Amino acid sequence: DLGSDVEIDADVAENVDEDDLLGGLKIETTDEIPVPDRLVDQVIGQEHARDVIMKAAKQRRHVMMIGSPGTGKSMLAKAMSELLPREELQDVLVYHNPDDGNRPKVRTVPAGKGDQIVEAHKEEARKRNQMRSFLMWIIIAVVLGYSLIIAQQVLLGILAAGIIYLAFRYGSRGSDAMIPNLIVNNADQKSAPFQDATGAHAGALLGDVRHDPFQSGGMETPSHDRVEPGAIHKSNKGVLFIDEINTLDVRSQQHLMTAIQEGEFSITGQSERSSGAMVQTEPVPTDFIMIAAGNLDAMENMHPALRSRIKGYGYEVYMDDTIQDTPEMRRKYARFVAQEVTNDGRLPHFTEEAVEELILEARRRAGRKGHLTLEFRNLGGLVRVAGDIARGENAELTTRDHVLQAKRRARSIEQQIADQYIERRKDYELSVNDGFVTGRVNGLAVMGEDSGIMLPVMAEVTPSQGPGQVIATGQLKEMAEESVQNVSAIIKKFSNQDLSEMDVHVQFVQTGQQGVDGDSASITVATAVISALEDIPIDQSVAMTGSLSVRGDVLPVGGVTHKIEAAAKAGCSTVIIPAANEQDVMIEDEYKEMVDIIPVSHISEVLDVALEGEPEKDSLVDRLKSITGSALNKGQGV
Ligand code: ADP
C-alpha cells in the first residue's frame, strides 16, 4: 500500500479538530513516533511520483523526475533500489588477457562469488610463491656454498646469490598478474545498488583505466589491475540516479545512451594521452534503471535522444511543491521530524511544541493557502540546526525555542542582508515609525524570496514648466511611473489639480539594494503622491503594501507575511494589506501582538487609515469614495 499513515486510534482520527496542528497525534516527543523501515514509506506526499517509482521498480523502467530541489527525487530513487530484487545482483571480475594485455577479459558471477574467486587466486599465488621461495633459498645456498667452499670466491658468491634473488622476485610478479581485479563487489549489499552520479566526470560515470608511469621493463602494473568501474557499472541491476541531467556533457550523455541501449559498456582510459587509453576491456554489464532528474530547464537542455529513450522506455513525473494541509498530512510532518532525528542519529528528539512550530513553518513556506511546503530538504535543514542548538546546550529535547533560534540562524543571504540593512537604517534614524509627515509613506517590499524590508517612499509635487513628468530614481522608476499614472486617473476625478501639469518627484529612501521587488508598492506611491498633492500628513506608524488598479482597487501582492514581520520589526504598529491577501497571513505569534493588520480593498480605505484625521482628510476620503463608488459598493467595510 502507498504511503503509510501515522497510526492513531480510529475514534480519535474521526474527531480530529481541524485546527489541531498535530492532526490528533498525542505525543510528548517525537521519540514516540515510529519510523517506517522502508525508505519508500518514509516519503511524504508525492503520491504520484511514489506510485510511478513502485510501478517502475516492478517493470524495470527508467524514470524522469522533474521538480524543485529537495522535494525527494533522490530519496525516491534510493527507495526504488530497495524495492529491486537482491537475488539478481552480480559481481564483475576483470582478468589479464594472455593474448593481448590491452584487452582484459571480463567475467560476471553471482554476488558474493567474486570475493571467493579472488581469494582462491591469491591463495594459489601464495602457495606458488612459497614454493618458489623455498626453491630459491636452496639454489642460493648451493651456489653460495659452492663458490665459498670450492672456488673460495666470496664476492662471486654474493653476486651470484643477488642475481638469483632478483630473478626470482621478478619472476614472481608474473603470478600476481593472474589475480583478477574485482571491480564490482556486491557481497555485502543489503539491497540493489544505488549510485548517485550527479555532477560526475566522465571517468566516474563511464569507468576509467588508470595511467601507468612504468609502461615496460617489468615494473608496470598489469592493465587489468588498473581498470576502474564507473557508476554505470556499479549500478548494474540497481538504480543510477543523475540529477541536473542537462549539465552532463554531450559526449557522456551519448555514452550513457549506448549503455542503456546495449546493457553493457567497455571500460577504457578516459584521458587520451594516458597509457590507460590504449586499454579497452571486454563489455561490462550496465543493466541499470536510470532515474534522471532536474528542473524544467533540465528537460529542455538535455540530449533529446536521451530524453526520448527514457520516455520511450519509462515514465516522466512532475514533483509537487506543496500539498494540501490536512490532519493526516500534519501527522506525517510530525513523523518527518522523527525521521530526520532518527536518520541523523545525534539530534535530541523534538517536543510537541517544537514540532508544531515546524508545521507552522511548513505552512508559511508553502506560500499558498491551506497547503504545506514539500521542500523537505530545507525543512530538514531547520530540524538539524534546531537539534544542533539543543545539543550545544546539552538539552535533553529540542524545544520550540530552539526551533525559533534555528529559524533566525538559518536565514537566507537575502534575509541577512535585510537584517543588516535594518540595523544600518536604525543608526541613521532612517526609519520613522511615529509622528506625521506629509508625502512620506512606509512601504514594504520583499528581498529574495523570504525576507521583508520596510521601504519608505517620499513624494513631492511641483508645478511643471512643460508637460508634467514623473521623476523617480533607481530601478523602481517604471513602477513609480505606472502607479502615478494610475493614481492620476483617480485624482483627476475628485480634484481640480491636474497631475499631468505637475512634476511628481518620487524617491525611494535608501534603496540601493539589489533584488528589491517594487511591484507591490503602488498603493505606497499613490498615497505619498496624494498626501503631497493635498498637503495632508501621513501617520508614520502605518506601513503598507498593495498593488493599485486604475479604478483605485487594491490588488493582492506576494510576500505579505514577510512584509508584516518586517514592519513589526521596524516598530510600526499598523500594517495595511490587500484584503485578498488576508488568508496568506501566517506571522509568528510574537508579531501578532506588535501590529494591527488592516485588510483593505480600495485606496480610499488606505487613506482613511493612513492620513492624519482632519476635516480635509474626511472630505478627501468622502470624495474618493463617491467617485469610485463602483469599487466600494460591493461593501467591503473594514
Ligand atoms: P531532491 O533529490 O529532490 O533534490 P532529496 O531527495 O535529496 O531531494 O531530499 C533531501 C532530503 O530531504 C531527503 O534526504 C529527506 O531527508 C528529505 N525529503 C525530501 N523529500 C521528502 C519527502 N517527500 N518526504 C520525506 N522526506 C523528504
Side-chain angles (χ1 to χ4, degrees), residues 404-456:
L404 292 178
Q405 281 185 48
K407 273 178 58 178
R408 246 164 276 144
R409 196 177 292 182
R411 292 167 84 71
S412 67
I413 294 291
E414 286 86 356
Q415 283 173 318
Q416 293 177 36
I417 294 173
D419 283 352
Q420 278 200 8
Y421 184 48
I422 290 167
E423 275 306 303
R424 218 172 329 139
R425 279 189 173 197
K426 277 194 184 137
D427 292 348
Y428 293 106
E429 299 190 332
L430 280 166
S431 23
V432 181
N433 53 29
D434 62 9
F436 293 84
V437 180
T438 301
R440 185 187 191 285
V441 177
N442 284 319
L444 295 167
V446 190
M447 278 176 76
E449 276 175 18
D450 51 4
S451 179
I453 57 164
M454 198 149 92
L455 185 66

Short mmCIF file of all heavy atoms in Angstrom, two decimals, residues 404-456:
data_model
loop_
_atom_site.label_atom_id
_atom_site.label_comp_id
_atom_site.label_asym_id
_atom_site.label_seq_id
_atom_site.Cartn_x
_atom_site.Cartn_y
_atom_site.Cartn_z
N LEU A 404 12.85 28.28 17.00
CA LEU A 404 12.80 29.71 16.67
C LEU A 404 14.22 30.26 16.50
O LEU A 404 14.50 31.02 15.57
CB LEU A 404 12.06 30.49 17.76
CG LEU A 404 10.55 30.20 17.83
CD1 LEU A 404 9.92 30.98 18.98
CD2 LEU A 404 9.86 30.54 16.52
N GLN A 405 15.12 29.85 17.38
CA GLN A 405 16.52 30.28 17.24
C GLN A 405 17.10 29.81 15.91
O GLN A 405 17.81 30.54 15.23
CB GLN A 405 17.37 29.70 18.36
CG GLN A 405 17.26 30.40 19.68
CD GLN A 405 18.25 29.80 20.68
OE1 GLN A 405 19.42 29.61 20.38
NE2 GLN A 405 17.76 29.47 21.86
N ALA A 406 16.77 28.57 15.57
CA ALA A 406 17.30 27.99 14.33
C ALA A 406 16.79 28.77 13.13
O ALA A 406 17.52 29.00 12.17
CB ALA A 406 16.88 26.52 14.21
N LYS A 407 15.53 29.18 13.20
CA LYS A 407 14.98 29.94 12.08
C LYS A 407 15.77 31.23 11.90
O LYS A 407 16.02 31.67 10.78
CB LYS A 407 13.51 30.28 12.35
CG LYS A 407 12.59 29.18 11.89
CD LYS A 407 11.17 29.50 12.20
CE LYS A 407 10.73 30.81 11.56
NZ LYS A 407 9.31 31.09 11.81
N ARG A 408 16.13 31.83 13.02
CA ARG A 408 16.89 33.07 12.93
C ARG A 408 18.28 32.78 12.36
O ARG A 408 18.82 33.53 11.56
CB ARG A 408 17.02 33.70 14.32
CG ARG A 408 16.29 35.03 14.39
CD ARG A 408 16.10 35.45 15.83
NE ARG A 408 14.92 34.83 16.41
CZ ARG A 408 14.85 34.43 17.68
NH1 ARG A 408 15.88 34.55 18.48
NH2 ARG A 408 13.74 33.88 18.14
N ARG A 409 18.85 31.66 12.79
CA ARG A 409 20.22 31.36 12.37
C ARG A 409 20.28 30.90 10.92
O ARG A 409 21.20 31.23 10.18
CB ARG A 409 20.81 30.28 13.27
CG ARG A 409 22.30 30.21 13.14
CD ARG A 409 22.89 29.20 14.09
NE ARG A 409 22.78 29.58 15.48
CZ ARG A 409 23.27 28.83 16.47
NH1 ARG A 409 23.89 27.71 16.21
NH2 ARG A 409 23.15 29.20 17.72
N ALA A 410 19.27 30.11 10.52
CA ALA A 410 19.30 29.53 9.18
C ALA A 410 18.70 30.50 8.17
O ALA A 410 17.91 30.13 7.33
CB ALA A 410 18.55 28.19 9.17
N ARG A 411 19.06 31.75 8.28
CA ARG A 411 18.47 32.74 7.39
C ARG A 411 19.18 32.77 6.06
O ARG A 411 20.38 32.57 5.98
CB ARG A 411 18.55 34.13 8.03
CG ARG A 411 17.66 34.26 9.25
CD ARG A 411 18.01 35.50 10.02
NE ARG A 411 17.34 36.67 9.47
CZ ARG A 411 16.05 36.88 9.56
NH1 ARG A 411 15.29 36.01 10.16
NH2 ARG A 411 15.52 37.96 9.06
N SER A 412 18.40 33.05 5.02
CA SER A 412 19.00 33.13 3.69
C SER A 412 19.87 34.37 3.60
O SER A 412 19.80 35.26 4.43
CB SER A 412 17.89 33.21 2.65
OG SER A 412 17.21 34.44 2.79
N ILE A 413 20.71 34.41 2.57
CA ILE A 413 21.58 35.56 2.34
C ILE A 413 20.73 36.83 2.29
O ILE A 413 21.08 37.84 2.89
CB ILE A 413 22.34 35.39 1.01
CG1 ILE A 413 23.31 34.22 1.09
CG2 ILE A 413 23.08 36.67 0.65
CD1 ILE A 413 24.47 34.44 2.01
N GLU A 414 19.59 36.76 1.57
CA GLU A 414 18.76 37.94 1.44
C GLU A 414 18.27 38.42 2.81
O GLU A 414 18.25 39.62 3.08
CB GLU A 414 17.54 37.66 0.56
CG GLU A 414 17.85 37.55 -0.92
CD GLU A 414 18.26 36.14 -1.29
OE1 GLU A 414 18.37 35.29 -0.38
OE2 GLU A 414 18.47 35.90 -2.49
N GLN A 415 17.89 37.47 3.64
CA GLN A 415 17.40 37.86 4.96
C GLN A 415 18.50 38.51 5.77
O GLN A 415 18.28 39.47 6.49
CB GLN A 415 16.86 36.64 5.70
CG GLN A 415 15.50 36.22 5.20
CD GLN A 415 15.10 34.92 5.84
OE1 GLN A 415 15.91 34.01 5.98
NE2 GLN A 415 13.86 34.81 6.22
N GLN A 416 19.73 37.95 5.63
CA GLN A 416 20.83 38.52 6.40
C GLN A 416 21.14 39.94 5.92
O GLN A 416 21.44 40.82 6.73
CB GLN A 416 22.07 37.62 6.27
CG GLN A 416 21.85 36.28 6.93
CD GLN A 416 23.04 35.35 6.74
OE1 GLN A 416 24.18 35.78 6.73
NE2 GLN A 416 22.77 34.07 6.57
N ILE A 417 21.05 40.14 4.60
CA ILE A 417 21.27 41.50 4.08
C ILE A 417 20.20 42.43 4.62
O ILE A 417 20.49 43.53 5.08
CB ILE A 417 21.23 41.50 2.53
CG1 ILE A 417 22.41 40.70 1.98
CG2 ILE A 417 21.27 42.93 2.00
CD1 ILE A 417 22.36 40.49 0.48
N ALA A 418 18.96 41.95 4.60
CA ALA A 418 17.86 42.78 5.09
C ALA A 418 18.06 43.15 6.55
O ALA A 418 17.84 44.29 6.95
CB ALA A 418 16.53 42.06 4.89
N ASP A 419 18.54 42.20 7.34
CA ASP A 419 18.80 42.48 8.75
C ASP A 419 19.81 43.59 8.93
O ASP A 419 19.63 44.52 9.70
CB ASP A 419 19.33 41.22 9.46
CG ASP A 419 18.22 40.24 9.75
OD1 ASP A 419 17.05 40.62 9.54
OD2 ASP A 419 18.52 39.11 10.18
N GLN A 420 20.90 43.46 8.16
CA GLN A 420 21.97 44.46 8.25
C GLN A 420 21.44 45.82 7.85
O GLN A 420 21.80 46.85 8.42
CB GLN A 420 23.09 44.09 7.28
CG GLN A 420 24.02 43.06 7.84
CD GLN A 420 25.34 43.11 7.09
OE1 GLN A 420 25.58 44.00 6.28
NE2 GLN A 420 26.21 42.17 7.38
N TYR A 421 20.62 45.77 6.82
CA TYR A 421 20.05 46.98 6.26
C TYR A 421 19.19 47.69 7.31
O TYR A 421 19.30 48.89 7.53
CB TYR A 421 19.22 46.54 5.06
CG TYR A 421 18.60 47.63 4.27
CD1 TYR A 421 19.34 48.73 3.87
CD2 TYR A 421 17.26 47.54 3.88
CE1 TYR A 421 18.76 49.72 3.10
CE2 TYR A 421 16.69 48.53 3.12
CZ TYR A 421 17.43 49.62 2.73
OH TYR A 421 16.86 50.58 1.98
N ILE A 422 18.38 46.90 8.01
CA ILE A 422 17.52 47.47 9.05
C ILE A 422 18.39 48.07 10.16
O ILE A 422 18.16 49.17 10.63
CB ILE A 422 16.58 46.38 9.64
CG1 ILE A 422 15.54 46.02 8.59
CG2 ILE A 422 15.93 46.86 10.91
CD1 ILE A 422 14.76 44.76 8.92
N GLU A 423 19.45 47.34 10.52
CA GLU A 423 20.35 47.83 11.55
C GLU A 423 20.95 49.17 11.15
O GLU A 423 20.98 50.13 11.92
CB GLU A 423 21.50 46.83 11.77
CG GLU A 423 21.15 45.72 12.73
CD GLU A 423 20.66 46.28 14.05
OE1 GLU A 423 21.40 47.07 14.67
OE2 GLU A 423 19.53 45.94 14.46
N ARG A 424 21.44 49.20 9.91
CA ARG A 424 22.13 50.40 9.45
C ARG A 424 21.18 51.59 9.44
O ARG A 424 21.53 52.69 9.80
CB ARG A 424 22.68 50.16 8.04
CG ARG A 424 24.04 50.81 7.88
CD ARG A 424 24.70 50.43 6.57
NE ARG A 424 24.36 49.10 6.09
CZ ARG A 424 24.12 48.85 4.81
NH1 ARG A 424 24.15 49.80 3.92
NH2 ARG A 424 23.86 47.61 4.43
N ARG A 425 19.94 51.32 9.03
CA ARG A 425 18.97 52.40 9.00
C ARG A 425 18.68 52.93 10.37
O ARG A 425 18.46 54.11 10.55
CB ARG A 425 17.67 51.87 8.44
CG ARG A 425 17.70 51.83 6.99
CD ARG A 425 16.33 51.51 6.66
NE ARG A 425 16.17 51.59 5.25
CZ ARG A 425 15.00 51.69 4.68
NH1 ARG A 425 13.93 51.71 5.43
NH2 ARG A 425 14.91 51.76 3.41
N LYS A 426 18.67 52.00 11.33
CA LYS A 426 18.40 52.45 12.70
C LYS A 426 19.49 53.43 13.11
O LYS A 426 19.22 54.44 13.73
CB LYS A 426 18.36 51.25 13.64
CG LYS A 426 17.02 50.58 13.62
CD LYS A 426 16.87 49.63 14.78
CE LYS A 426 15.55 48.90 14.69
NZ LYS A 426 15.70 47.47 15.00
N ASP A 427 20.75 53.12 12.71
CA ASP A 427 21.87 54.01 13.04
C ASP A 427 21.61 55.40 12.50
O ASP A 427 21.90 56.40 13.15
CB ASP A 427 23.17 53.49 12.42
CG ASP A 427 23.61 52.19 13.07
OD1 ASP A 427 23.03 51.85 14.13
OD2 ASP A 427 24.50 51.51 12.52
N TYR A 428 21.13 55.47 11.30
CA TYR A 428 20.95 56.79 10.67
C TYR A 428 19.56 57.35 10.91
O TYR A 428 19.19 58.35 10.33
CB TYR A 428 21.22 56.69 9.17
CG TYR A 428 22.64 56.38 8.85
CD1 TYR A 428 23.01 55.13 8.40
CD2 TYR A 428 23.62 57.36 9.00
CE1 TYR A 428 24.34 54.84 8.12
CE2 TYR A 428 24.94 57.07 8.73
CZ TYR A 428 25.29 55.81 8.27
OH TYR A 428 26.59 55.52 8.00
N GLU A 429 18.80 56.68 11.71
CA GLU A 429 17.43 57.10 12.01
C GLU A 429 16.63 57.31 10.73
O GLU A 429 15.92 58.28 10.57
CB GLU A 429 17.45 58.37 12.86
CG GLU A 429 18.15 58.08 14.19
CD GLU A 429 18.01 59.21 15.19
OE1 GLU A 429 17.86 60.35 14.74
OE2 GLU A 429 18.02 58.91 16.37
N LEU A 430 16.83 56.38 9.82
CA LEU A 430 16.09 56.50 8.57
C LEU A 430 14.70 55.92 8.68
O LEU A 430 13.83 56.24 7.91
CB LEU A 430 16.86 55.79 7.44
CG LEU A 430 17.99 56.63 6.89
CD1 LEU A 430 18.91 55.79 6.04
CD2 LEU A 430 17.46 57.81 6.11
N SER A 431 14.53 55.01 9.64
CA SER A 431 13.14 54.57 9.76
C SER A 431 12.41 55.46 10.72
O SER A 431 12.88 55.75 11.81
CB SER A 431 13.00 53.10 10.12
OG SER A 431 14.09 52.62 10.74
N VAL A 432 11.27 55.88 10.28
CA VAL A 432 10.42 56.73 11.10
C VAL A 432 9.21 55.89 11.41
O VAL A 432 8.62 55.30 10.50
CB VAL A 432 10.00 57.97 10.30
CG1 VAL A 432 9.14 58.89 11.15
CG2 VAL A 432 11.22 58.71 9.78
N ASN A 433 8.87 55.75 12.68
CA ASN A 433 7.70 54.94 12.98
C ASN A 433 6.72 55.64 13.90
O ASN A 433 5.87 55.01 14.48
CB ASN A 433 8.12 53.58 13.53
CG ASN A 433 9.07 53.71 14.70
OD1 ASN A 433 9.01 54.70 15.43
ND2 ASN A 433 9.92 52.73 14.88
N ASP A 434 6.89 56.94 14.06
CA ASP A 434 5.82 57.67 14.73
C ASP A 434 5.75 59.10 14.22
O ASP A 434 6.59 59.54 13.44
CB ASP A 434 5.98 57.60 16.26
CG ASP A 434 7.25 58.24 16.73
OD1 ASP A 434 7.95 58.89 15.90
OD2 ASP A 434 7.58 58.12 17.90
N GLY A 435 4.71 59.78 14.62
CA GLY A 435 4.50 61.15 14.14
C GLY A 435 3.82 61.17 12.79
O GLY A 435 3.43 60.13 12.26
N PHE A 436 3.70 62.38 12.23
CA PHE A 436 3.01 62.55 10.95
C PHE A 436 3.89 63.35 9.99
O PHE A 436 4.48 64.34 10.38
CB PHE A 436 1.68 63.27 11.15
CG PHE A 436 0.70 62.45 11.93
CD1 PHE A 436 0.73 62.43 13.32
CD2 PHE A 436 -0.25 61.69 11.28
CE1 PHE A 436 -0.17 61.66 14.04
CE2 PHE A 436 -1.15 60.91 11.99
CZ PHE A 436 -1.11 60.90 13.38
N VAL A 437 4.04 62.88 8.77
CA VAL A 437 4.87 63.56 7.79
C VAL A 437 4.12 63.63 6.46
O VAL A 437 3.53 62.63 6.03
CB VAL A 437 6.22 62.81 7.58
CG1 VAL A 437 7.08 63.54 6.56
CG2 VAL A 437 6.96 62.65 8.90
N THR A 438 4.16 64.78 5.82
CA THR A 438 3.49 64.91 4.52
C THR A 438 4.34 64.30 3.42
O THR A 438 5.55 64.53 3.36
CB THR A 438 3.25 66.40 4.21
OG1 THR A 438 2.46 66.95 5.26
CG2 THR A 438 2.52 66.57 2.89
N GLY A 439 3.72 63.50 2.58
CA GLY A 439 4.41 62.95 1.42
C GLY A 439 5.33 61.78 1.72
O GLY A 439 6.07 61.33 0.85
N ARG A 440 5.30 61.27 2.93
CA ARG A 440 6.19 60.15 3.25
C ARG A 440 5.39 58.94 3.71
O ARG A 440 4.59 59.05 4.64
CB ARG A 440 7.18 60.55 4.34
CG ARG A 440 8.22 59.47 4.62
CD ARG A 440 9.05 59.85 5.83
NE ARG A 440 10.21 58.98 5.99
CZ ARG A 440 10.15 57.74 6.44
NH1 ARG A 440 9.00 57.20 6.77
NH2 ARG A 440 11.26 57.03 6.54
N VAL A 441 5.63 57.78 3.08
CA VAL A 441 4.88 56.57 3.41
C VAL A 441 5.85 55.43 3.67
O VAL A 441 6.81 55.25 2.93
CB VAL A 441 3.93 56.16 2.26
CG1 VAL A 441 3.20 54.87 2.59
CG2 VAL A 441 2.94 57.26 1.96
N ASN A 442 5.57 54.67 4.69
CA ASN A 442 6.36 53.46 4.94
C ASN A 442 5.84 52.32 4.07
O ASN A 442 4.84 51.69 4.38
CB ASN A 442 6.29 53.05 6.41
CG ASN A 442 7.16 53.94 7.28
OD1 ASN A 442 8.28 54.31 6.89
ND2 ASN A 442 6.64 54.31 8.44
N GLY A 443 6.52 52.10 2.96
CA GLY A 443 6.14 50.98 2.10
C GLY A 443 6.83 49.71 2.57
O GLY A 443 7.68 49.74 3.46
N LEU A 444 6.45 48.60 1.98
CA LEU A 444 7.04 47.32 2.35
C LEU A 444 7.42 46.55 1.09
O LEU A 444 6.69 46.58 0.10
CB LEU A 444 6.04 46.49 3.17
CG LEU A 444 5.68 47.09 4.53
CD1 LEU A 444 4.47 46.37 5.10
CD2 LEU A 444 6.86 46.99 5.49
N ALA A 445 8.56 45.88 1.12
CA ALA A 445 8.99 45.14 -0.06
C ALA A 445 9.58 43.80 0.37
O ALA A 445 9.81 43.56 1.56
CB ALA A 445 10.03 45.94 -0.84
N VAL A 446 9.77 42.94 -0.61
CA VAL A 446 10.38 41.64 -0.33
C VAL A 446 11.74 41.58 -1.00
O VAL A 446 11.90 42.00 -2.14
CB VAL A 446 9.53 40.48 -0.87
CG1 VAL A 446 10.05 39.15 -0.36
CG2 VAL A 446 8.10 40.65 -0.49
N MET A 447 12.70 41.04 -0.27
CA MET A 447 14.01 40.78 -0.88
C MET A 447 14.17 39.29 -1.01
O MET A 447 13.83 38.57 -0.09
CB MET A 447 15.12 41.30 0.01
CG MET A 447 15.37 42.77 -0.13
SD MET A 447 16.62 43.23 1.06
CE MET A 447 18.07 42.59 0.26
N GLY A 448 14.74 38.87 -2.12
CA GLY A 448 14.90 37.43 -2.31
C GLY A 448 13.52 36.82 -2.28
O GLY A 448 12.57 37.41 -2.80
N GLU A 449 13.40 35.66 -1.66
CA GLU A 449 12.10 35.03 -1.64
C GLU A 449 11.40 35.18 -0.31
O GLU A 449 10.20 35.10 -0.21
CB GLU A 449 12.25 33.52 -1.92
CG GLU A 449 12.31 33.22 -3.37
CD GLU A 449 12.58 31.75 -3.60
OE1 GLU A 449 12.40 30.95 -2.67
OE2 GLU A 449 12.99 31.44 -4.72
N ASP A 450 12.20 35.38 0.72
CA ASP A 450 11.59 35.18 2.03
C ASP A 450 12.02 36.22 3.04
O ASP A 450 12.17 35.93 4.20
CB ASP A 450 11.96 33.79 2.54
CG ASP A 450 13.45 33.55 2.47
OD1 ASP A 450 14.19 34.49 2.10
OD2 ASP A 450 13.88 32.43 2.79
N SER A 451 12.20 37.44 2.56
CA SER A 451 12.69 38.41 3.50
C SER A 451 12.05 39.76 3.24
O SER A 451 12.11 40.27 2.13
CB SER A 451 14.20 38.48 3.32
OG SER A 451 14.71 39.42 4.18
N GLY A 452 11.38 40.32 4.26
CA GLY A 452 10.72 41.61 4.07
C GLY A 452 11.58 42.75 4.54
O GLY A 452 12.39 42.59 5.44
N ILE A 453 11.44 43.90 3.91
CA ILE A 453 12.06 45.11 4.44
C ILE A 453 11.10 46.28 4.30
O ILE A 453 10.24 46.28 3.43
CB ILE A 453 13.38 45.49 3.72
CG1 ILE A 453 13.16 45.66 2.22
CG2 ILE A 453 14.48 44.52 4.00
CD1 ILE A 453 14.30 46.40 1.57
N MET A 454 11.31 47.26 5.19
CA MET A 454 10.49 48.45 5.08
C MET A 454 11.18 49.37 4.09
O MET A 454 12.41 49.52 4.11
CB MET A 454 10.36 49.14 6.43
CG MET A 454 9.21 50.09 6.44
SD MET A 454 8.49 50.20 8.06
CE MET A 454 9.41 51.58 8.70
N LEU A 455 10.41 49.94 3.20
CA LEU A 455 10.98 50.73 2.12
C LEU A 455 10.20 52.06 2.02
O LEU A 455 9.21 52.14 1.32
CB LEU A 455 10.82 49.93 0.82
CG LEU A 455 11.43 50.48 -0.45
CD1 LEU A 455 12.95 50.50 -0.34
CD2 LEU A 455 11.02 49.62 -1.63
N PRO A 456 10.67 53.08 2.74
CA PRO A 456 9.91 54.34 2.75
C PRO A 456 9.93 55.02 1.38
O PRO A 456 10.92 54.94 0.66
CB PRO A 456 10.65 55.19 3.78
CG PRO A 456 11.52 54.26 4.53
CD PRO A 456 11.85 53.15 3.61
#
